[in-house]
Amino acid sequence: MTFRARHLLGIEHLAPQEIVTVLDLADRYVDLNRRTVKQSDVLAGMTQINMFFENSTRTQASFELAGKRLGADVMNMSVASSSVKKGETLIDTAMTLNAMHPDLLVVRHGSSGAVNLLASKVNCAVLNAGDGRHEHPTQALLDALTIRRAKGRIQRLTVAICGDIAHSRVARSNLILLGKMENRLRLIAPPTLMPPGVEDFGCELFDDMRKGLEGADVVMMLRLQNERMDGGFIPSSREYYHRYGLDAEKLAHAKPDAIVMHPGPMNRGVEIDGDLADDINRSVIQDQVEMGVAVRMACMDLLARNLRAERGRKIVGMMA
Amino acid sequence: MIIHLSNARLIDPEALTDAPGSLTIAKGVIGAINAPAPKGARIIDCGGMCLAPGIVDIGVKIGEPGERHKESFRSAGLAAAAGGVTTIIARPDTTPAIDTPEALEFVTRRAAESPVRIRHMAALTKGRDGHEMTEIGFLLDAGAIAFTDAARVSTDAKALSRAMTYARSLGALIGGHPQDPNLSAGASATSGKFASLRGIPAVSPMAERMGLERDLALVELTGARYHADQITTARALPALARAKDAGLDVTAGTSIHHLTLNELDVGDYRTFFKFTPPLRSEDDRLAMVEAVTSGLIDVISSMHTPADEESKRLPFEEAASGAVALETFLPAAMRIYHAGAIDLPTLIRAMTLNPARRLGLPQGRLSVGAPADLVLFDPDAPFLMDRFSLRSKSKNTPFDGARMEGKVLKTFVGGTLVYAAES
């Protein structure tokens, strides 16, 4: 088993073997989560703090449940409405929490790189639950697990990522992960929502959705990030739906067994047809939510193991 | 007192020569070059080190008034002396802005604490808000050397054209910041692969060309004297060349950081590498070095911008822009010299003679009668940069921990020794 990371800040720093390690362990947690008694004690006695500088319901709930099922003491700090508003800096907040000796810190922040900054100032394990437009590593890992379980592999697939790539940390983490696992990547977006220079990441770019979907095994839809836009990227949501919304007709251009994914929350009728999203033969959107808890359990388990090993070494060092 | 600097390597930015020689300082000016030491002169053996005019640095931010905890005239002056900068041209983007003769008198008085010369630019518009011109005439009388709203760009072309027309009649120099403010709003990086990977809001390099083209059209319209503070992208250069060829009274500068660093240096969101405009691609950096070599870009500035620890210890997008640079200016410049991209006299010309000429100052020359503002430096001396060794009150340098070459040994202002390195 390989997993050396001290923090989980992004997919960028993970080796392919580490990704496989997370997915293998997560598979086992999927089984645990399907039992009636879901309790494990691998994080017993450890403290997990969820610090969300941006509001989130789904991700925060997923992390909270993951921690509780592993036996950790979980605390949620809704930082979006607390001392940060009183002018405290990110680093002061981090230092304050650090003094309370948490073991795992789960952080979401609206600025790219903010979680990296915070991780450099604390001595617990930090999990990035999304920073600005940068990365959202557990989302990419849960997507990978969903794909692997649906397709039987996470290599040599043609994956189309469609929608608001420019503002999406989900797209970035997925691009990096799927690239590392040697898949064929296609990005489909109106040119205003395609980040500059992205062609250098080794993917094909399309502004015609039908062409982009041709022969795809996996279709990943992204949410239109209205809150992260400063206006005027698309003419209207109805024109966007017409050209880039996924419906049965457009999906027919992909492989007949292509799966449909969405990180949620969905804007039905903007980027995806409601009926298609609910079609259990094509959509794995509910599976993604289930895999999310398992992947987060796996990540926290692995980080906690490294944390224990590191502290163990320190104690041995003190005794010697 | 007469000082005779013997055994020097004279870097003459006017004649563009680099040759062994000696120089005599008398009554605050250069009394003789390559003449025997006068009787009774204090003789300083330069040990074959480089002797050049002191640096004239256009666009230094000093924290007075408003932010003295970041930099005072005294701390900036000490840093300048240690960096071989003998004339600071201070920016008016203070709090409040230098937009009245009274404010200008205040900073002029405060500047007396500095061991090097300080001249002040004044704001072009009141409050730097881009709408109403300042009292350009009064400010000139009070000693303003140029007029600029620094990095704040007005979109009010009518107000600007009036201010530039008025300034032209008085012969005042206008400093512009070529950048389209709408296109660059909210950006902290240059758009491209790196910014996309890091997810940092970014601006196309085209925003600089658009800003420059607008300013140059206004210069053509009004006949104003214009200096672009920082050109940092290759795409802006043809517009600059066309304006110069057309005989417009236009010059341009670039910053030492855009000549020595590129966007990849930001790495893992290092805020000491956040600048306005942001660092560019390596291709752009090389194009800027070439433009300085060819003379298309006239001036290199440090764009010294002190920022305290708090304003840099923030997520990249929220952190302050800019770096302190008075003390690292010369060693950073030596990087492009040692890279073989430019010869020493041409490089020094962009840091001394060209800015002095543009501002109508007698400095920047190694000629008899010129002010004895001089720097003696060792272009090869290696050292490890430690930001806490800087004399500036703020320590925000991107060169912290970097291996650098080039050390200032002595600095003279008006014939007075204002800095001598510990030997």
Side-chain angles (χ1 to χ4, degrees):
Chain A
M1 198 195 71
T2 327
F3 192 84
R4 293 177 196 287
R6 186 173 194 284
H7 306 293
L8 183 64
L9 300 178
I11 301 295
E12 192 188 351
H13 306 291
L14 293 183
Q17 192 51 46
E18 289 179 301
I19 293 168
V20 172
T21 300
V22 174
L23 300 186
D24 289 347
L25 184 59
D27 261 332
R28 286 163 46 197
Y29 280 119
V30 174
D31 296 339
L32 177 72
N33 287 338
R34 286 179 180 175
R35 290 186 206 152
T36 315
V37 178
K38 303 171 175 69
Q39 202 62 27
S40 151
D41 61 357
V42 304
L43 294 187
M46 294 187 124
T47 308
Q48 170 192 342
I49 298 181
N50 296 333
M51 197 158 49
F52 279 64
F53 291 88
E54 269 186 347
N55 289 323
S56 152
T57 311
R58 310 160 58 96
T59 308
Q60 186 168 337
S62 183
F63 269 108
E64 185 176 353
L65 209 50
K68 285 185 169 161
R69 287 189 181 162
L70 292 175
D73 297 310
V74 185
M75 190 176 90
N76 287 315
M77 299 229 343
S78 52
V79 207
S81 58
S82 71
S83 50
V84 183
K85 291 261 154 60
K86 296 175 195 157
E88 188 175 67
T89 67
L90 175 64
I91 288 183
D92 285 337
T93 308
M95 299 301 272
T96 305
L97 285 178
N98 194 45
M100 300 178 192
H101 294 288
D103 302 290
L104 295 158
L105 207 53
V106 178
V107 187
R108 168 169 289 190
H109 196 282
S111 292
S112 304
V115 184
N116 299 47
L117 175 67
L118 198 143
S120 67
K121 306 289 174 189
V122 297
N123 39 32
C124 58
V126 176
L127 282 100
N128 182 0
D131 62 324
R133 315 171 178 182
H134 177 220
E135 281 226 44
H136 190 355
T138 56
Q139 179 71 44
L141 289 164
L142 76 87
D143 287 342
L145 184 63
T146 310
I147 295 170
R148 197 172 77 166
R149 290 174 72 102
K151 291 281 157 197
R153 64 177 198 271
I154 186 69
Q155 285 91 15
R156 301 181 312 280
L157 294 167
T158 301
V159 182
I161 305 179
C162 324
D164 183 2
I165 316 256
H167 299 94
S168 175
R169 51 197 174 212
V170 176
R172 273 173 189 73
S173 287
N174 265 314
L175 261 176
I176 300 170
L177 188 151
L178 294 167
K180 283 188 184 199
M181 304 314 281
E182 300 178 0
N183 294 283
R184 186 168 175 188
L185 289 169
R186 297 186 180 165
L187 301 183
I188 305 169
T192 46
L193 293 175
M194 194 73 92
V198 79
E199 60 276 10
D200 294 345
F201 296 177
C203 33
E204 300 164 82
L205 309 189
F206 295 87
D207 53 18
D208 180 331
M209 189 163 186
R210 290 175 181 84
K211 278 187 192 151
L213 289 178
E214 211 66 60
D217 296 292
V218 177
V219 182
M220 265 186 198
M221 299 305 300
L222 297 172
R223 193 167 63 85
L224 207 53
Q225 306 248 342
N226 291 311
E227 73 277 13
R228 233 180 284 283
M229 290 190 188
D230 48 15
F233 286 86
I234 50 164
S236 70
S237 53
R238 64 179 189 179
E239 179 165 332
Y240 182 79
Y241 181 64
H242 178 70
R243 302 196 60 210
Y244 297 98
L246 187 67
D247 53 22
E249 185 270 316
K250 293 197 193 85
L251 184 60
H253 292 263
K255 280 194 186 159
D257 62 345
I259 55 168
V260 175
M261 307 177 74
H262 193 296
M266 281 181 281
N267 300 311
R268 286 170 188 260
V270 177
E271 68 251 356
I272 191 162
D273 173 63
D275 291 340
L276 184 59
D278 298 332
D279 179 355
I280 52 165
N281 294 317
R282 306 307 296 272
S283 162
V284 294
I285 296 171
Q286 292 305 316
D287 300 308
Q288 286 175 274
V289 179
E290 184 189 356
M291 296 309 124
V293 180
V295 153
R296 286 168 183 131
M297 289 167 83
C299 291
M300 289 198 284
D301 181 357
L302 290 165
L303 288 173
R305 290 183 205 193
N306 290 352
L307 202 61
R308 274 197 218 98
E310 186 189 307
R311 288 178 183 164
R313 275 197 300 276
K314 264 185 205 156
I315 291 165
V316 171
M318 277 157 63
M319 281 158 55
Chain B
M1 189 177 67
I2 297 171
I3 301 172
H4 185 73
L5 298 163
S6 68
N7 188 23
R9 176 179 164 191
L10 299 179
I11 311 294
D12 184 339
E14 208 165 13
L16 289 177
T17 54
D18 176 350
S22 68
L23 184 148
T24 313
I25 301 172
K27 294 178 190 161
V29 299
I30 297 172
I33 289 171
N34 291 333
K39 259 189 198 154
R42 182 182 156 208
I43 295 175
I44 297 175
D45 185 339
C46 297
M49 293 301 159
C50 294
L51 187 65
I55 298 167
V56 178
D57 193 358
I58 301 185
V60 173
K61 168 82 183 272
I62 295 169
E64 294 193 57
E67 295 167 305
R68 205 147 113 192
H69 65 289
K70 294 184 183 172
E71 194 81 285
S72 65
F73 280 107
R74 175 148 184 86
S75 65
L78 291 171
V85 175
T86 51
T87 305
I88 286 174
I89 310 298
R91 298 209 304 254
D93 53 342
T94 46
T95 319
I98 310 303
D99 59 357
T100 60
E102 291 75 14
L104 184 58
E105 275 165 28
F106 169 79
V107 287
T108 306
R109 208 160 54 238
R110 293 284 310 141
E113 287 190 355
S114 157
V116 308
R117 298 180 203 269
I118 297 189
R119 296 294 302 269
H120 302 273
M121 294 192 280
L124 180 63
T125 62
K126 287 173 187 162
R128 294 168 56 230
D129 71 354
H131 292 298
E132 215 179 319
M133 73 178 92
T134 51
E135 294 171 313
I136 296 173
F138 279 155
L139 284 160
L140 275 175
D141 294 344
I145 199 160
F147 294 81
T148 181
D149 286 339
R152 208 182 281 173
V153 181
S154 174
T155 50
D156 187 342
K158 191 178 270 182
L160 270 184
S161 72
R162 286 176 184 154
M164 287 165 90
T165 304
Y166 193 86
R168 185 213 47 208
S169 71
L170 297 168
L173 179 68
I174 306 284
H177 181 72
Q179 192 70 214
D180 183 276
N182 293 317
L183 200 55
S184 61
S188 341
T190 304
S191 64
K193 185 184 170 187
F194 179 76
S196 288
L197 183 65
R198 286 284 179 270
I200 304 172
V203 58
S204 163
M206 199 59 90
E208 180 170 293
R209 177 172 131 196
M210 288 167 63
L212 183 66
E213 297 266 25
R214 193 276 309 255
D215 284 3
L216 294 176
L218 285 170
V219 170
E220 196 178 322
L221 177 74
T222 63
R225 302 174 61 220
Y226 177 86
H227 176 74
D229 65 349
Q230 299 178 71
I231 298 293
T232 60
T233 60
R235 277 182 181 161
L237 292 175
L240 178 63
R242 274 198 307 277
K244 285 188 165 187
D245 290 345
L248 301 184
D249 193 351
V250 166
T251 51
T254 192
S255 95
I256 188 63
H257 300 113
H258 290 91
L259 290 172
T260 51
L261 304 170
N262 70 32
E263 57 184 351
L264 301 181
D265 286 307
V266 169
D268 203 6
Y269 303 99
R270 295 193 289 172
T271 57
F272 282 8
F273 291 82
K274 182 174 176 181
F275 292 93
T276 306
L279 291 174
R280 306 300 193 181
S281 69
E282 177 65 3
D283 287 347
D284 278 331
R285 184 189 76 81
L286 292 171
M288 292 311 104
V289 173
E290 167 139 11
V292 170
T293 310
S294 73
L296 178 56
I297 287 182
D298 308 86
V299 172
I300 308 173
S301 294
S302 77
M303 295 312 289
H304 179 86
T305 305
D308 55 16
E309 298 290 302
E310 292 314 316
S311 59
K312 284 288 188 182
R313 281 176 48 179
L314 290 171
F316 195 80
E317 289 166 49
E318 297 159 35
S321 270
V324 290
L326 286 165
E327 272 174 271
T328 52
F329 192 1
L330 190 81
M334 288 305 110
R335 281 192 173 181
I336 48 177
Y337 163 62
H338 287 302
I342 191 168
D343 65 89
L344 218 38
T346 308
L347 177 62
I348 294 294
R349 183 179 64 178
M351 298 159 69
T352 58
L353 179 66
N354 286 353
R357 245 186 205 155
R358 188 55 172 153
L359 297 164
L361 297 174
Q363 275 81 15
R365 295 159 176 89
L366 276 196
S367 53
V368 175
D373 292 8
L374 301 165
V375 56
L376 180 69
F377 66 97
D378 178 348
D380 302 315
F383 68 100
L384 200 61
M385 180 69 218
D386 169 13
R387 69 190 184 104
F388 294 106
S389 70
L390 294 175
R391 285 157 185 80
S392 280
K393 284 192 183 179
S394 296
K395 313 292 180 191
N396 54 310
T397 172
F399 297 112
D400 184 40
R403 290 172 199 281
M404 305 193 87
E405 288 174 88
K407 249 184 172 168
V408 173
L409 304 172
K410 285 185 171 60
T411 306
F412 298 88
V413 174
T416 305
L417 186 69
V418 293
Y419 173 79
E422 293 164 31
S423 51

